[in-house]
Amino acid sequence: MAFRRLKSILFLLFLLVLLFAGSVLLVHSLLYRPSVQQYLLQQLSNRVGYHIRAEQIGLLFWKGIGIQAQNFSIGTTEDVQVLAASRVRITFSLRELVRGRIVPTDLILEEPAIELDLHGGRWESAFEDKPPALEDSPLKALAAFPSVTLEGALITVKGMPLKSKGLFVRLSRKSPDAAAFQVALNGKFDYKGDEVPLSAQGDIAWDPATGPSACLKLKLLKAPLWHIQLPDLPVKKGTADMEATVSGNLRGEISAQGNIVINDLDFAIIDDADRKDFSFDRLLLP
């Protein structure tokens, strides 16, 4: 009797597995149809409130059910691009899918290339032959996603020899009614050939009147100081460790509070023909 019951249960499980596998294959094949892709993108656009475009869409099982795509972009109805990435992954709420609704839960941008203009207060795409990315209220567009991740991001600062290497950024939405996120960042920045580890966590937000703002706790290790070559203050060697809280607005004032520890510092002060050399094993700057 027990054997027959077990046999019935195993047979039922086998049928469920076959049904699931068949459903996956059916959905996967349907996703290659242009009409199905257009419907999916339209549903996403309606949910996000921006026009979404993507190519080579495929089914994805990664921390849930979702899609992966290439040449992804988010833009306004006036065809002004807000965000772009060469590859993305988007996961959906399983509960809402069962109800017939497409509700995104995670947006993962793979190796996005972004240029940050500190003076203009905007971000631009660093891909060649690409229109500006993250130009028009990017955080407002991203607020439709509870979680946004940048994996292996290449971020450069306009007019500066500074770029990130393998940067990981995680944005967690604080409220669906506001473009405000908790942010965690970890990676390295390359400055004139020297790698500097950097981590940060805090809050960032976007306001239509004041623009982007942030309050971040930064931790920077072994930043090289020998690139400081002022005519009256040449630096031979030295590194700096920094822990600081930076807050402000890109269009307004920015303030910072924290400590800087300088190690193995060797520099000189030159006043006309007078030169004085200084060296410190450790120097604390509050």
Side-chain angles (χ1 to χ4, degrees), residues 120-143:
R122 69 179 189 178
W123 297 359
E124 297 179 345
S125 170
F127 291 116
E128 295 183 359
D129 303 324
K130 291 279 187 179
L134 298 179
E135 179 185 83
D136 177 47
S137 60
L139 294 180
K140 182 180 178 182
L142 295 178

Side-chain angles (χ1 to χ4, degrees), residues 242-265:
M242 182 186 73
E243 290 190 17
T245 299
V246 180
S247 60
N249 188 290
L250 287 180
R251 299 178 185 174
E253 296 182 354
I254 297 178
S255 61
Q257 291 182 334
N259 296 317
I260 299 177
V261 179
I262 299 178
N263 302 298
D264 298 324
L265 179 62

Side-chain angles (χ1 to χ4, degrees), residues 61-73:
F61 290 94
W62 183 86
K63 294 183 179 180
I65 298 177
I67 61 172
Q68 57 187 354
Q70 298 185 14
N71 298 327
F72 174 85
S73 67

